Amino acid sequence: QVQLVESGGRLVQTGGSLRVSCVASGRTFSSVAMGWYRQAPGKEREFVAAISWSGGSTNYADSVKGRFTISRDNAKNTVYLQMNSLKPEDTAVYYCAAGTTAYSVRVGTIGSWGQGTQVTVSS
């Protein structure tokens, strides 16, 4: 099991940028795929982005494609989500997730969740 702790969420203006991070501990980080989900008030949790264990494969939700970038640093046991051109509809709690493959993370087969970090985009 991997333990995940997110950080970096804050209030940002529309059009701004923000990077959130997730530090993992426990199982060997470099052997698991990672991803980000988000949940807005009153809505279901939705997939945002995923990255393979090597970082060689990524995939994104259509709503963030071209604006968000997921990356990882296996030496630091950390996965990042760089968010650019933020919109008010990006406001949500962002959760880090770990799974077997980037595909399994995308379809919601999650082994571990973080506690979430709040991102608020003001209009």
Side-chain angles (χ1 to χ4, degrees), residues 33-57:
M34 299 295 297
W36 290 93
Y37 277 70
R38 67 185 182 186
Q39 187 167 19
K43 295 187 177 181
E44 293 188 353
R45 192 172 298 189
E46 65 175 2
F47 169 77
V48 175
I51 188 167
S52 62
W53 65 271
S54 67
S57 175

Side-chain angles (χ1 to χ4, degrees), residues 1-5 22-27 29 77 112-114:
Q1 199 78 351
V2 179
Q3 289 76 48
L4 306 172
V5 179
C22 172
V23 177
S25 61
R27 276 186 56 189
F29 174 77
N77 282 12
S112 299
W113 291 100

Side-chain angles (χ1 to χ4, degrees), residues 14-98:
T14 297
S17 297
L18 183 67
R19 188 178 79 165
V20 292
S21 304
C22 172
V23 177
S25 61
R27 276 186 56 189
T28 303
F29 174 77
S30 60
S31 67
V32 297
M34 299 295 297
W36 290 93
Y37 277 70
R38 67 185 182 186
Q39 187 167 19
K43 295 187 177 181
E44 293 188 353
R45 192 172 298 189
E46 65 175 2
F47 169 77
V48 175
I51 188 167
S52 62
W53 65 271
S54 67
S57 175
T58 59
N59 57 82
Y60 299 91
D62 288 343
S63 58
V64 306
K65 202 171 294 184
R67 299 189 298 122
F68 290 11
T69 302
I70 188 170
S71 62
R72 66 189 295 161
D73 184 340
N74 286 345
K76 296 182 178 180
N77 282 12
T78 302
V79 62
Y80 305 99
L81 185 68
Q82 177 68 44
M83 302 180 283
N84 299 327
S85 302
L86 282 161
K87 306 175 182 179
E89 51 263 43
D90 294 318
T91 295
V93 177
Y94 282 72
Y95 295 92
C96 182

Side-chain angles (χ1 to χ4, degrees), residues 10-17 85-87 120-123:
R10 62 175 175 87
L11 175 65
V12 63
Q13 291 186 335
T14 297
S17 297
S85 302
L86 282 161
K87 306 175 182 179
T120 303
V121 184
S122 64
S123 57

Side-chain angles (χ1 to χ4, degrees), residues 99-115:
T100 303
T101 66
Y103 175 77
S104 65
V105 171
R106 183 183 183 109
V107 300
T109 305
I110 305 298
S112 299
W113 291 100
Q115 84 290 347

